[in-house]
Amino acid sequence: MRRIVAPEAAELVGCLAEHGYHVSTAESCTGGLIASGIVDVSGASAVFEEGYITYADRIKEKLLGVHPETIAQHTVVSAQVAEEMASGMAKAAGTELAISVTGYAGSDEGADGTPAGTVYIGVSFLGETVSRHFCFEGDRGQVRMQAVVEAYAFALQVMKERMEDR
C-alpha cells in the first residue's frame, strides 16, 4: 500500500533531525496513526524512538505513569491526562519530544457526556509539557486524521517556540 506522507510529518522529522532530537508517541484514539505517519517519512529512523498505543486507562497508568486520581478527577479525555501521557512517554523513552493524544473519535459521545470529536493533544519538549483542546467534526476516521495532522503541527509549534526562547 502506498501512503502519502503528510507535509507536517515530514517537517517534524526534518526539524528533529536538524537539531539532533528524538520523538516518541503515546496514542489513544489515534491508535498509532501519529507514529505511523512519522515512520512514513524517509529518515525517520534517525529521530523516532518508540510509540505506545494506550487505549485502556490501566495501560496509560502502567506504561505512562498517568495517575488514577487524574483520570477520576478530570476524566481520561482531558488536558491533564494528555499532559501526563506526554511527560510519561518522554520519560519512558528518554526522548526530547513526546506527543500524546486522548479523545473521543466517535461516533458516540463519551460515557461522561463529552461530545464525539473532543481531542486533547499533549506535547512534552525538553521537560516542559503543554496541551491543547480540539473539537473536530466528521466521522470517526476524519476526527482521527484531523488529530494526527494537528498533533504534528502543535509539536512543531512548541519546538520552534521553545528553541527561539533558548
Side-chain angles (χ1 to χ4, degrees):
M1 174 172 87
R2 184 165 160 43
R3 296 193 49 180
I4 298 171
V5 173
E8 297 86 357
E11 185 178 355
L12 178 63
V13 169
C15 186
L16 289 162
E18 179 182 340
H19 297 283
Y21 295 138
H22 301 88
V23 64
S24 55
T25 60
E27 303 180 60
S28 188
C29 66
T30 51
L33 291 172
I34 296 169
S36 179
I38 291 170
V39 300
D40 279 345
V41 177
S42 180
S45 60
V47 300
F48 184 75
E49 293 288 316
E50 63 186 298
Y52 297 163
I53 300 171
T54 57
Y55 214 68
D57 294 358
R58 69 180 185 82
I59 303 303
K60 289 175 181 68
E61 296 166 11
K62 176 180 157 185
L63 295 179
L64 303 173
V66 173
H67 297 95
E69 301 81 23
T70 304
I71 294 172
Q73 185 176 4
H74 301 284
T75 80
V76 73
V77 178
S78 64
Q80 294 83 355
V81 168
E83 290 175 15
E84 286 187 15
M85 288 173 67
S87 62
M89 186 71 242
K91 182 178 178 183
T95 55
E96 295 86 4
L97 176 69
I99 304 168
S100 70
V101 64
T102 183
Y104 294 116
S107 61
D108 297 325
E109 65 185 21
D112 62 356
T114 301
T118 301
V119 174
Y120 288 88
I121 297 171
V123 172
S124 182
F125 183 60
L126 299 176
E128 293 183 46
T129 306
V130 294
S131 63
R132 185 174 287 162
H133 174 232
F134 296 89
C135 295
F136 299 120
E137 297 200 9
D139 65 25
R140 185 175 180 80
Q142 292 168 326
V143 167
R144 292 173 72 216
M145 291 312 299
Q146 290 172 79
V148 170
V149 172
E150 290 296 340
Y152 300 142
F154 184 37
L156 274 164
Q157 177 190 353
V158 169
M159 285 179 60
K160 289 176 180 180
E161 287 173 359
R162 298 276 158 73
M163 289 188 295
E164 286 175 5
D165 292 344
R166 299 183 114 218

